């Protein structure tokens, strides 16, 4: 494995027009009500969080993709094409889980033609090792919490606001990685040194 590469964690998640119910505050005696249309329309989102293996000063990078419906191998190849453009000219070691679309024959054939990309598999049943899971949690607890949109565009707009919030805080993607217990050398990037 090339040591001068981006270590990129990728994961998918789903969102729908059904609100993500979260606790909230309201005046005493006024229980908050959430009104929605019980619409089951769904979208899928894919996030790729990248950390440079040797140069933490390059910062973390977040690549995001949203589409109606679900991801299949063809949809994931489309995401990887976007990642390729995002990391143009850079080596990428992509770390993701054992979803069948990640390891299908079509995916393996496509990856075999990519000289910039190496795939690594997370251990089975170990979502806690993927920092993108914490990204989803952050979005669902903030921007998507109690959102009762009428259209998938409402959910997409809220998700985009969350991605902008995360990108605006350079420490947040590093905190997602730190929470997994994984480290990338050097082990303490400038914004997460032990002496702070």
């Amino acid at each position: 494995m090339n040591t001068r590469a981006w270590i990129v964690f990728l994961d998918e998640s789903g969102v729908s027009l059904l609100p993500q119910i979260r606790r909230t505050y309201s005046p005493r005696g006024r229980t908050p009500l959430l009104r929605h249309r019980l619409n089951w329309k769904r979208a899928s989102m894919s996030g790729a969080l990248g950390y440079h293996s040797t140069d933490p000063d390059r910062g973390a990078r977040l690549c995001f993709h949203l589409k109606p419906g679900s991801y299949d191998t063809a949809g994931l190849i489309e995401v990887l094409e976007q990642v390729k453009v995002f990391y143009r000219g850079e080596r990428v070691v992509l770390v993701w889980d054992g979803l069948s679309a990640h390891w299908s024959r079509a995916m393996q054939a496509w990856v075999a033609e990519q000289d910039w990309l190496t795939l690594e598999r997370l251990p089975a049943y170990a979502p806690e090792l993927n920092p993108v899971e914490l990204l989803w949690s952050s979005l669902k607890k903030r921007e998507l919490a109690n959102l009762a949109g009428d259209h998938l565009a409402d959910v997409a707009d809220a998700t985009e606001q969350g991605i902008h919030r995360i990108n605006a805080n350079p420490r947040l993607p590093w905190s997602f990685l730190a929470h997994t217990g994984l480290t990338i050398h050097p082990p303490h990037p400038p914004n997460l040194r032990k002496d702070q």
Side-chain angles (χ1 to χ4, degrees), residues 9-10 15 23-25 52 55 77 84 89 103 108 113 138 140-141 145 148 152 157 166 170 174 176 185 191:
F9 295 86
L10 193 141
V15 290
R23 287 185 133 174
T24 187
Y25 294 96
H52 199 272
D55 188 1
I77 288 173
K84 181 179 183 177
W103 302 98
Q108 294 299 315
E113 297 173 0
S138 179
K140 290 177 180 181
K141 288 179 181 174
L152 279 175
D157 290 344
I166 291 166
W174 285 105
F176 296 157
H185 300 288
N191 61 351

Side-chain angles (χ1 to χ4, degrees), residues 5-150:
W6 285 89
I7 310 300
V8 178
F9 295 86
L10 193 141
D11 192 45
E12 306 83 22
S13 185
V15 290
S16 75
L17 290 180
L18 293 177
Q20 301 278 330
I21 307 298
R22 297 289 184 257
R23 287 185 133 174
T24 187
Y25 294 96
S26 68
R28 187 181 302 225
R30 291 189 189 160
T31 302
L33 297 176
L34 205 59
R35 298 188 192 285
H36 60 89
R37 299 175 187 240
L38 273 178
N39 192 323
W40 292 92
K41 285 186 181 175
R42 293 187 54 80
S44 294
M45 49 188 181
S46 177
L49 263 175
Y51 308 90
H52 199 272
S53 61
T54 59
D55 188 1
D57 291 332
R58 294 183 74 179
R61 289 186 181 176
L62 172 57
C63 183
F64 179 77
H65 187 266
L66 182 70
K67 73 179 270 309
S70 300
Y71 282 108
D72 56 8
T73 299
L76 288 169
I77 288 173
E78 182 182 314
V79 169
L80 292 179
E81 289 284 1
Q82 182 179 341
V83 169
K84 181 179 183 177
V85 171
F86 196 71
Y87 288 97
R88 186 180 312 275
E90 304 267 12
R91 300 270 314 142
V92 170
V93 176
L94 187 78
V95 183
W96 58 8
D97 59 27
L99 183 72
S100 59
H102 293 173
W103 302 98
S104 68
R105 286 185 192 158
M107 180 63 75
Q108 294 299 315
W110 184 84
V111 169
E113 297 173 0
Q114 310 302 313
D115 62 350
W116 61 277
L117 183 64
T118 303
L119 296 184
E120 293 293 335
R121 187 177 188 154
L122 283 167
Y125 309 107
E128 68 277 3
L129 295 178
N130 193 335
V132 183
E133 294 285 355
L134 296 154
L135 179 140
W136 300 145
S137 178
S138 179
L139 288 175
K140 290 177 180 181
K141 288 179 181 174
R142 297 270 305 262
E143 286 78 13
L144 297 176
N146 301 318
L147 176 67
D150 290 326

